[in-house]
Amino acid sequence: MRYSILTLFPGLVRPWLEESLIQKAIAKGLLQVEVVDLRAFGLGPHRTVDDTPYGGGPGMVIRPDVAVAALESVLPADEVILLSPAGVPFTQKVAEELAQKAHLVLLSGRYEGFDARLEAFATRVLSVGDYVLMGGEVAALAVLEATARLVPGVIGDPLSHREDSFVRGLLDYPHYTRPPLFRGMGVPEVLLSGHHGEVLRFRRKEALKRTLLFRPELLGRARLSREEVAWLAELDREG
């Protein structure tokens, strides 16, 4: 999988690529990540990348000629993704779709964002949440992490992501490790029982319970078994 991240602040992105599983995947050749400095395509002796907005208003806007010149330096690509709070929500389903691609370009804006005409060059406009960041680098790295971990070989256990939050429409079940007793709080007995069938049932129930507690709106589109539907009705009765 190849990623091209276009940004005005490459120094914010490059350290992220030098740690943890991303760094290991790059070293193994599973991922290729290039960080492109938009200012290298700036205009004039000062490498100007932005200008004042037509119609007035605060802030500066990244020029389309600069952004497209940078974009064309890394094409062709399977997807050109513009990160914007005005975009379509980035979800696990979208991450799974993008993880099947060979080359993703991630456009990270700053200031008031990119000139709107850049959207004509994007295949998707994505938002990582209903809030505004100082720039698109964090959003681009979120897309990188969410998709890269689905690339075969990047994470240690190829089956682990199948139980992730949102994969079936539910949140993940809670996890526990040693010590078995910490400041008066114990580990559920079923997890110490060695009974794999009961452990699986417990985890499915807990995933359902956590989803009902923290993200009940997800339940309307979750893929639930008949048993889980019955558990959900029981949880509703218990309040």
Side-chain angles (χ1 to χ4, degrees):
M1 168 76 91
R2 176 187 172 194
Y3 297 85
S4 300
I5 302 177
L6 279 58
T7 172
L8 282 171
F9 295 95
L12 293 177
V13 176
R14 290 191 178 114
W16 200 268
L17 311 177
E18 299 171 359
E19 299 286 346
S20 192
L21 293 178
I22 294 292
Q23 185 275 330
K24 292 178 181 178
I26 292 172
K28 291 178 182 178
L30 299 173
L31 304 178
Q32 178 186 351
V33 186
E34 59 184 329
V35 183
V36 179
D37 187 351
L38 286 169
R39 197 165 294 280
F41 298 86
L43 307 175
H46 299 293
R47 296 291 186 182
T48 301
V49 299
D50 56 359
D51 212 325
T52 55
Y54 282 124
M60 302 290 281
V61 179
I62 299 176
R63 295 174 56 116
D65 47 357
V66 171
V68 170
L71 172 61
E72 290 178 341
S73 75
V74 299
L75 294 179
D78 295 286
E79 295 269 3
V80 176
I81 301 166
L82 175 61
L83 286 313
S84 168
V88 173
F90 177 58
T91 63
Q92 184 67 28
K93 181 179 179 181
V94 175
E96 291 170 358
E97 293 173 7
L98 294 177
Q100 304 302 312
K101 310 293 184 178
H103 182 200
L104 304 181
V105 178
L106 303 173
L107 299 168
S108 306
R110 279 272 158 173
Y111 317 131
E112 294 301 311
F114 290 102
D115 183 293
R117 289 169 288 184
L118 190 62
E119 294 177 7
F121 297 85
T123 59
R124 301 186 192 228
V125 182
L126 295 180
S127 167
V128 295
D130 293 342
Y131 46 83
V132 179
L133 299 167
M134 292 183 180
E137 289 79 16
V138 169
L141 290 170
V143 174
L144 167 66
E145 289 247 343
T147 55
R149 66 188 302 277
L150 301 177
V151 174
V154 171
I155 59 177
D157 185 346
L159 300 179
S160 64
H161 63 77
R162 295 186 183 179
E163 295 297 325
D164 288 339
S165 293
F166 310 113
V167 170
R168 291 195 310 119
L170 300 177
L171 300 183
D172 195 7
Y173 54 79
H175 298 264
Y176 298 87
T177 188
R178 295 178 178 84
L181 185 65
F182 176 70
R183 298 191 178 183
M185 295 178 287
V187 174
E189 287 294 328
V190 64
L191 299 180
L192 308 175
S193 69
H195 193 301
H196 296 298
E198 290 303 314
V199 168
L200 179 59
R201 283 172 56 85
F202 169 80
R203 287 174 168 171
R204 289 171 60 203
K205 280 187 174 182
E206 287 299 303
L208 196 63
K209 186 185 298 184
R210 286 165 70 87
T211 306
L212 180 62
L213 178 63
F214 296 120
R215 296 290 303 276
E217 76 278 7
L218 296 176
L219 293 169
R221 53 183 184 271
R223 302 190 298 273
L224 302 180
S225 67
R226 289 184 178 180
E227 189 174 34
E228 287 169 328
V229 171
W231 291 340
L232 182 60
E234 181 180 336
L235 290 169
D236 278 334
R237 288 194 297 270
E238 292 174 357

